[in-house]
Amino acid sequence: MTDMAVIRSAGPEDAASLLSLMRRAFGEYRGVLRPESSVFAETAAAIAGKLAGGGGFVASRGAGLLGCVIAEAEGERGYLGRLAVLPEARRTGIARRLMRAGEGFLRARGLERAEVNVRIALTGNIALFESLGYRETRRLAHPGWPEPTYLAMEKSLE
C-alpha cells in the first residue's frame, strides 16, 4: 500500500471516530498486553477533552481513517499519545507523518521536549520512536504491577 494519506487536524467532533480507530488499531493487543491497554476503557468524552487542546491529528485516505495521534502540552514539555495506525496501513510512513505533525504542534507552542510512553513488550514501536530521535528516560510500572511495563521516551524539539 502506498501512502497517499492526508494528515489533518482533528477536533472534539472527531472523538468517537478516533476512539473507534484506536480500538481497531490496538485490537491485536487485546488479551495480550498486561495490563490491557486503557484505550479499551477510554470514552469518546475523554478523547474529546484531549482534542479540545487542538493537538489532534488524523491520517485519512478518502473517507477512511487510517491513523491518529494526540499532542498535549504539559508544562515545559509536550506529550504525544494514542498514536494508532490500522494494521493494513502500517509501514507506509503514516506513523512518522503523524508524529511530525504532533511535534510541530508542540514546537509551535514553544515547547523544547516531547515525550511518548510505549509498552516494553512492543519492541517495534520502541524502534520506531528511536528512529524518530526519542531516547528512553525512565522505566515505569502501571499501578499494581511490580515490574516496569512501559518506557517514557523523550526527544528534543529544538
Side-chain angles (χ1 to χ4, degrees):
M1 174 186 291
T2 57
D3 177 18
M4 298 303 294
V6 173
I7 307 293
R8 67 165 174 85
S9 294
E13 68 280 2
D14 296 305
S17 297
L18 264 60
L19 181 58
S20 176
L21 165 74
M22 291 174 207
R23 288 180 175 168
R24 285 179 51 212
F26 284 56
E28 68 189 270
Y29 306 122
R30 190 136 208 205
V32 176
L33 288 179
R34 296 288 181 230
E36 185 164 80
S37 172
S38 60
V39 75
F40 297 108
E42 195 137 39
T43 65
I47 297 293
K50 292 177 182 182
L51 294 171
F57 297 91
V58 64
S60 62
R61 184 175 298 115
L65 299 182
L66 303 173
C68 65
V69 71
I70 300 173
E72 299 176 275
E74 296 182 349
E76 296 179 6
R77 75 183 62 200
Y79 178 74
L80 294 162
R82 292 296 185 227
L83 176 66
V85 177
L86 294 179
E88 63 269 21
R90 292 182 186 151
R91 303 187 99 46
T92 63
I94 289 173
R96 289 179 182 282
R97 291 178 59 207
L98 286 166
M99 288 296 291
R100 286 188 192 113
E103 291 168 1
F105 173 84
L106 298 174
R107 197 176 285 112
R109 275 140 190 82
L111 299 175
E112 296 178 0
R113 304 204 61 75
E115 182 176 272
V116 297
N117 291 334
V118 59
R119 295 294 186 104
I120 292 171
L122 301 180
T123 56
N125 292 9
I126 293 169
L128 168 68
F129 293 131
E130 288 176 338
S131 75
L132 291 169
Y134 288 82
R135 298 293 171 248
E136 179 182 336
T137 56
R138 299 179 314 281
R139 288 181 175 245
L140 303 156
H142 285 86
W145 292 82
E147 297 177 0
T149 53
Y150 67 100
L151 305 178
M153 302 178 79
E154 281 191 13
K155 174 183 180 175
S156 171
L157 296 175
E158 297 177 331

